[in-house]
Amino acid sequence: MSAQANIDHTQVISEAKATASGAFLCMEADRGAVRITGSDTLDLLNRLTTMKVDTLSAGEVRETLLTNEKGRVIDAALVAVREDDVLLLLSPGRAGEVIAWLEKYTIMEDCVYEDISASVAQCSVYNTGEILSGDTLSMPSEGRSAVMPLGETTVRVLHHASVTGAGLRVLCASDDVSAVREYLSDHVGIPLVGAAAFALWRIDRLLPAVGHELSGLANPLEAGAAAAVDFEKGCYIGQEVIARLDSYDKVQRLPRRIRRSPDAQEFPEPGSVLYAEGKNAGFVTTLIYDPREGAERGIALVRHAFAAAGTRLSLQPDGDAQPFAVEQGP
């Protein structure tokens, strides 16, 4: 399968330029959303995720990671506290898996979960800056959310720090998603970009994404998501593994940009093993054709011994004719 298949290269280049010059918008209507009610909600989430969330109050929002017993990532989530409930905003297609994970550890706790993904549309704004201030769209302060009018609709805007690069999450009713998209792109002037241009923006900045760098194959530290781990908080699932990796400097892999010529026959999926000198050197997490440079570019989690710029990485233990090269970085 070619990395160039079904991609409008001219459109990708145009959108990539937009991501480099200011704020841009990604529509994420298929993201998961779970409504949680009950007096033990924040306490339970605090025991299951990497950031301290049990002290959050109504109007506050925080990104956190759900990790399994091995310290590997299940999902990156936004915890948004409202007056009567908590919203857990998830990656696409993750609501069922996350609810099952929460229910596994809900024994006597007062927590009730409701998947509201179908009724809530979400989009994210990246490279937030002056374009989002003033009369067009007033942001709540970082770490907070607010309900506000947006044209003829009403939305909830969440302003948050994120290891994935987002600055704002905008929530609306699913029926209003077209109106919100048009208002943000036409009235506020935030260009809408597609998945390919967004992937190139991530690659350029070595930013992780769920299902790629953030997955069941990696822990947050090697995926470049240490900022979403609070090393001072109490125990949570996976905490002992992550703390030990940090304390004893045992993080084995580093995120690195990789590239190769675009005419290779084999196009690896995320998780495909890479080799150097006949040894396991890490694995591919993101790969896409970059029409700006005429090459396949991506991100791999690479072992320290093979992370230097220029190192040749192969999909086969005995090498192949068109290996990857580690780019200068990070």
Side-chain angles (χ1 to χ4, degrees):
M1 175 182 176
S2 170
Q4 305 181 51
N6 302 318
I7 295 179
D8 183 339
H9 297 158
T10 302
Q11 180 70 20
V12 172
I13 291 173
S14 175
E15 292 179 358
K17 289 180 179 178
T19 67
S21 59
F24 66 92
L25 174 68
C26 288
M27 299 306 299
E28 299 162 326
D30 58 346
R31 276 186 171 271
V34 176
R35 177 177 179 261
I36 311 176
T37 55
S39 59
D40 297 324
T41 296
L42 291 177
D43 178 67
L44 180 66
L45 291 176
N46 195 64
R47 290 185 276 118
L48 296 179
T49 69
T50 59
M51 293 292 284
K52 187 172 178 59
V53 298
D54 59 338
T55 57
L56 295 179
S57 58
E60 293 187 306
V61 58
R62 182 165 296 160
E63 183 181 63
T64 189
L65 303 176
L66 287 87
T67 52
N68 63 23
E69 297 90 341
K70 296 181 179 179
R72 308 291 178 84
V73 178
I74 296 171
D75 199 7
L78 282 182
V79 178
V81 182
R82 302 192 294 188
E83 290 294 338
D84 300 316
D85 58 20
V86 173
L87 291 180
L88 197 61
L89 304 174
L90 307 167
S91 301
R94 298 296 173 112
E97 178 184 357
V98 169
I99 288 176
W101 181 255
L102 296 175
E103 288 179 337
K104 176 181 177 180
Y105 293 97
T106 305
I107 302 173
M108 300 295 293
E109 289 82 3
D110 177 21
C111 297
V112 178
Y113 309 104
E114 179 186 3
D115 184 351
I116 59 171
S117 305
S119 62
V120 177
Q122 304 180 48
C123 62
S124 291
V125 180
Y126 299 80
N127 286 351
T128 54
E130 293 181 0
I131 194 171
L132 299 177
S133 62
D135 296 333
T136 52
L137 181 61
S138 298
M139 290 190 292
S141 58
E142 186 172 284
R144 298 197 63 84
S145 70
V147 175
M148 60 183 63
L150 194 70
E152 297 181 357
T153 65
T154 299
V155 300
R156 178 176 292 271
V157 177
L158 302 89
H159 185 191
H160 60 96
S162 174
V163 295
T164 61
L168 293 180
R169 184 79 58 87
V170 180
L171 311 183
C172 67
S174 295
D175 292 342
D176 295 333
V177 64
S178 295
V180 169
R181 180 182 64 244
E182 291 173 4
Y183 187 91
L184 291 175
S185 59
D186 297 341
H187 182 73
V188 183
I190 309 174
L192 176 65
V193 308
F198 176 65
L200 294 178
W201 180 79
R202 285 202 307 107
I203 291 166
D204 289 344
R205 292 156 181 79
L206 275 179
L207 291 171
V210 173
H212 295 272
E213 295 70 38
L214 300 172
S215 73
L217 297 175
N219 63 72
L221 307 187
E222 61 188 1
V229 177
D230 184 345
F231 292 99
E232 302 298 323
K233 72 177 294 260
C235 293
Y236 57 89
I237 303 299
Q239 185 264 345
E240 290 186 5
V241 175
I242 294 171
R244 190 162 55 247
L245 291 170
D246 177 64
S247 298
Y248 296 100
D249 195 21
K250 293 294 185 180
V251 178
Q252 296 183 357
R253 292 178 284 248
L254 302 168
R256 287 291 184 265
R257 287 184 293 273
I258 55 173
R259 72 162 58 211
R260 69 174 177 177
S261 62
D263 53 354
Q265 297 300 308
E266 187 174 3
F267 188 70
E269 296 296 327
S272 297
V273 176
L274 292 169
Y275 298 90
E277 301 173 5
K279 301 176 182 178
N280 184 320
F283 55 91
V284 176
T285 54
T286 298
L287 187 65
I288 190 171
Y289 176 71
D290 187 343
R292 303 169 302 177
E293 302 191 22
E296 289 177 0
R297 297 180 65 236
I299 299 174
L301 301 189
V302 182
R303 294 184 181 275
H304 288 261
F306 308 108
T311 301
R312 310 284 274 183
L313 304 173
S314 170
L315 291 170
Q316 304 296 331
D318 55 355
D320 58 34
Q322 295 171 319
F324 293 93
V326 178
E327 289 189 1
Q328 188 71 37

